[in-house]
């Protein structure tokens, strides 16, 4: 990299002790968003973050009320003509139970084996800390940042983000930016640097089949009425083809095909099918033979029954025709699918194949947007160059099978491309007992973000 980072790197070097102490202080706050008795601790963590942004010279710093846990907002907007980045991380953490499985106390962090062990050490206080210190490196060393930053740090990520969307919508005007940087992900297997470029969307539905007011005697009525459980099974059986593809008409119409470059990047990531099968206790890997495991996970849509019930499920026999039967059915979506259109196609198809003699309805429970930022987007390329500079390796480009609600919201409500850049290692035990964060990843993360701000200033977005 052409730019000189010697003074910034020297700052990171000489503040090593202070940085670690500050990180451990943040980890000592048990900011468990899901548990009422920790409401004060969650707010204390928000305060902790806000104070630090304020002290280093950020403006409009506030704990913005959401109706739940507060959002920390702060901005620094004096890099005229340079890009504006909306930075997201979260300061809340997962609950700690079962506590007896922790070998060290979750909120009394221990430094051991090159790692810090504590709840939230990786998810997501590592990134809160990294952003605080990367910004501080610039402001204390050079008195300015090379880009404009708008910081949004959430306190409800681990408890459902109930107030996130409405807060984003209400603050739409002041959140204008060139792209959103989400720091809540990590490296690939083997601790290989990675940028997450894709997340899948979701449509979640329930199918209800009703035949009578109450369960019927199967001797008296059997043969003369439609059975809702049989009818539901008929419907479900027709939703997918034998090869695993989805049979709903037009389901794949908008699916963006993989480019040769996309497929090359997927192929570059090592994934051993045998150990994948063993590690997760799978019978076998099964899916569309035209795609690899990682392609199916990141770039192909799905339809799955998540639950199915109806009729008698107790011990022995009970000779009834169940009054009703139900299934939860959800689809994972990829670019460029429309969640609403997908729901309508699924609903219309179910209605069109509904057997006679029962009432069938399909209800949408929720949905979420996918997000996909091209590998050659300038913000992605800039992040990749900084990872190479700090970690010495070309990053992998991950497309995750799941969703990060913030990513979907930034795409849908603010129309922003999203780059997911994070530094946690795959064995961090996030959400589980004995969570940890590698200190070399954390420090490398700070240096990467420090470079990223400069690289973005040099890159037309
Ligand atoms: Zn997280």
């Amino acid at each position: 990299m052409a730019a000189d980072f010697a003074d910034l790197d020297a700052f990171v070097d000489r503040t090593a002790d202070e940085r670690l102490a500050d990180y451990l202080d943040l980890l000592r706050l048990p900011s468990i968003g899901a548990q009422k008795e920790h409401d004060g601790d969650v707010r204390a963590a928000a305060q902790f973050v806000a104070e630090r942004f304020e002290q280093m010279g950020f403006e409009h710093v506030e704990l913005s009320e959401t109706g739940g846990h507060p959002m920390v907002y702060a901005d620094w907007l004096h890099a005229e003509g340079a890009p504006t980045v909306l930075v997201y991380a979260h300061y809340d953490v997962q609950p700690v139970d079962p506590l007896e499985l922790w070998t060290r106390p979750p909120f009394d962090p221990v430094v051991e084996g090159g790692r810090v062990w504590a709840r939230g050490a990786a998810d997501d206080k590592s990134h809160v800390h990294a952003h605080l210190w990367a910004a501080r490196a610039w402001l204390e060393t050079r008195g300015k940042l090379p880009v404009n930053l708008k910081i949004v740090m959430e306190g409800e990520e681990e408890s459902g983000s109930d107030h996130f969307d409405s807060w984003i919508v209400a603050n739409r005007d002041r959140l204008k930016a060139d792209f959103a940087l989400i720091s809540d992900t990590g490296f690939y297997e083997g601790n290989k640097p990675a940028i997450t470029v894709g997340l899948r969307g979701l449509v979640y539905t329930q199918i209800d089949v009703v035949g009578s007011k109450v369960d019927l005697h199967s001797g008296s009525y059997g043969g003369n009425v439609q059975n809702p459980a049989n009818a539901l099974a008929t419907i479900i059986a027709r939703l997918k083809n034998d090869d695993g593809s989805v049979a709903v008409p037009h389901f794949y119409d908008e699916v963006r095909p993989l480019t040769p470059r996309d497929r090359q990047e997927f192929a570059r990531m090592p994934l051993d099918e045998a150990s994948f099968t063993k590690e997760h206790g799978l019978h076998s890997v099964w899916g569309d033979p035209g795609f690899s495991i990682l392609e199916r996970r990141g770039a192909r849509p799905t339809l799955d029954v998540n639950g199915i019930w109806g009729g008698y499920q107790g011990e022995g026999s009970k000779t009834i025709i169940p009054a009703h039967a139900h299934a939860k059915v959800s689809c994972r979506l990829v670019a460029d699918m429309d969640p609403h259109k997908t729901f309508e196609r699924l609903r219309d198809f179910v209605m069109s194949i509904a057997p006679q003699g029962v009432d069938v309805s399909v209800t949408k429970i929720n949905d979420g947007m996918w997000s996909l930022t091209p590998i050659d987007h300038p913000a992605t390329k800039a992040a990749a160059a900084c990872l190479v500079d700090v970690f010495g390796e070309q990053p992998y480009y991950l497309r995750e099978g799941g969703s990060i609600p913030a990513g979907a919201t930034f795409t849908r409500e603010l129309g922003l491309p999203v780059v997911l850049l994070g530094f946690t290692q795959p064995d961090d035990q996030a959400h589980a007992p004995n969570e940890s964060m590698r200190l070399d990843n954390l420090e490398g993360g700070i240096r990467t973000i420090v470079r990223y701000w400069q690289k973005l200033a040099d890159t037309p977005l």
Side-chain angles (χ1 to χ4, degrees):
M1 233 173 231
D4 183 10
F5 296 101
D7 54 338
L8 294 150
D9 279 332
F11 174 86
V12 175
D13 290 337
R14 78 167 172 271
T15 55
D17 294 343
E18 193 190 343
R19 278 190 291 108
L20 179 63
D22 192 46
Y23 176 47
L24 300 187
D25 282 344
L26 177 58
L27 295 177
R28 282 189 191 99
L29 299 168
S31 51
I32 304 171
Q35 296 173 344
K36 268 253 150 284
E37 71 261 37
H38 287 290
D39 280 2
D41 302 316
V42 176
R43 192 161 285 267
Q47 210 99 44
F48 180 104
V49 176
E51 269 167 23
R52 276 153 183 75
F53 278 117
E54 181 124 59
Q55 280 158 12
M56 72 177 89
F58 272 69
E59 295 169 306
H60 308 111
V61 181
E62 61 167 312
L63 265 57
S64 186
E65 296 307 329
T66 63
H69 299 306
M71 198 75 80
V72 176
Y73 178 85
D75 61 38
W76 193 95
L77 304 173
H78 303 289
E80 228 179 289
T84 300
V85 187
L86 183 62
V87 176
Y88 170 91
H90 63 89
Y91 62 83
D92 61 322
V93 300
Q94 281 277 315
V96 295
D97 27 337
L99 196 55
E100 63 276 14
L101 295 185
W102 287 77
T103 54
R104 306 163 189 85
F107 296 111
D108 192 1
V110 174
V111 184
E112 203 182 295
R115 295 176 184 237
V116 171
W117 302 79
R119 169 57 86 226
D123 181 15
D124 187 34
K125 287 176 174 173
S126 61
H127 297 125
V128 171
H129 170 81
H131 279 293
L132 280 168
W133 280 84
R136 195 171 149 188
W138 272 101
L139 291 168
E140 282 196 21
T141 308
R142 308 238 182 130
K144 61 181 180 156
L145 280 152
V147 287
N148 303 296
L149 296 184
K150 296 180 177 179
I151 307 285
V152 167
M153 291 194 179
E154 189 192 0
E156 299 188 331
E157 201 278 339
E158 306 290 11
S159 59
S161 292
D162 286 347
H163 303 89
F164 185 76
D165 283 15
S166 55
W167 187 87
I168 293 292
V169 170
N171 288 273
R172 202 180 257 147
D173 289 339
R174 70 162 159 170
L175 298 178
K176 286 200 174 81
D178 291 289
F179 77 97
L181 175 67
I182 295 181
S183 289
D184 193 15
T185 54
F187 284 8
Y188 189 66
E189 299 305 319
N191 203 34
K192 298 289 186 193
I195 299 170
T196 302
V197 294
L199 301 166
R200 287 199 288 192
L202 183 76
V203 171
Y204 204 109
T205 71
Q206 179 165 324
I207 301 176
D208 298 294
V209 181
V210 181
S212 51
K213 281 202 175 65
V214 292
D215 291 348
L216 303 174
H217 189 295
S218 71
S220 312
Y221 295 89
N224 273 312
V225 292
Q226 175 66 271
N227 180 318
N230 288 59
L232 177 62
T234 302
I235 292 168
I236 288 172
R238 293 189 59 185
L239 295 179
K240 294 189 78 171
N241 300 309
D242 288 348
D243 65 1
S245 61
V246 178
V248 176
H250 304 292
F251 186 78
Y252 295 97
D253 279 8
E254 288 88 16
V255 172
R256 196 187 299 181
L258 287 169
T259 64
R261 170 80 201 281
D262 290 335
R263 304 205 78 170
Q264 220 178 324
E265 288 299 337
F266 273 116
R268 206 161 66 80
M269 281 180 261
L271 186 120
D272 175 45
E273 184 170 325
S275 53
F276 180 81
T277 306
K278 197 168 157 227
E279 197 179 309
H280 303 283
L282 311 178
H283 173 279
S284 54
V285 174
W286 184 81
D288 192 332
F291 297 91
S292 70
I293 294 176
L294 291 173
E295 287 172 345
R296 285 187 215 119
R297 180 161 77 193
R300 300 295 294 165
T302 65
L303 184 152
D304 279 297
V305 175
N306 305 108
I308 181 165
W309 69 102
Y312 182 63
Q313 288 163 47
E315 205 182 329
S317 61
K318 187 180 183 206
T319 46
I320 54 154
I321 292 170
H324 42 80
H326 315 267
K328 305 272 187 189
V329 175
S330 68
C331 301
R332 295 282 181 177
L333 312 182
V334 298
D336 297 300
M337 296 170 85
D338 174 347
H340 187 65
K341 244 190 219 171
T342 303
F343 168 70
E344 287 184 338
R345 286 169 179 164
L346 172 62
R347 180 198 59 200
D348 294 351
F349 182 58
V350 169
M351 297 315 283
S352 76
I353 59 174
Q356 289 185 348
V358 281
D359 288 321
V360 176
S361 61
V362 186
T363 316
K364 185 166 78 180
I365 294 177
N366 55 50
D367 63 16
M369 192 62 176
W370 49 268
S371 84
L372 180 65
T373 303
I375 290 172
D376 54 9
H377 188 281
T380 309
K381 280 163 88 173
C386 298
L387 284 169
V388 170
D389 196 34
V390 173
F391 290 92
E393 282 183 81
Q394 279 293 341
Y396 292 130
Y397 298 97
L398 308 183
R399 293 202 205 180
E400 293 294 347
S403 316
I404 292 183
T409 304
F410 291 146
T411 301
R412 190 184 60 239
E413 302 298 343
L414 304 176
L416 297 182
V418 174
V419 173
L420 296 108
L421 179 63
F423 308 94
T424 58
Q425 67 285 341
D427 63 349
D428 59 17
Q429 302 270 63
H431 294 211
N434 305 312
E435 181 173 351
S436 72
M437 179 72 197
R438 279 176 65 141
L439 283 168
D440 53 350
N441 280 37
L442 185 61
E443 191 185 303
I446 295 171
R447 293 184 204 274
T448 303
I449 297 168
V450 161
R451 282 159 174 74
Y452 195 33
W453 299 153
Q454 180 64 54
K455 187 81 183 161
L456 288 166
D458 301 340
T459 313
L461 283 183

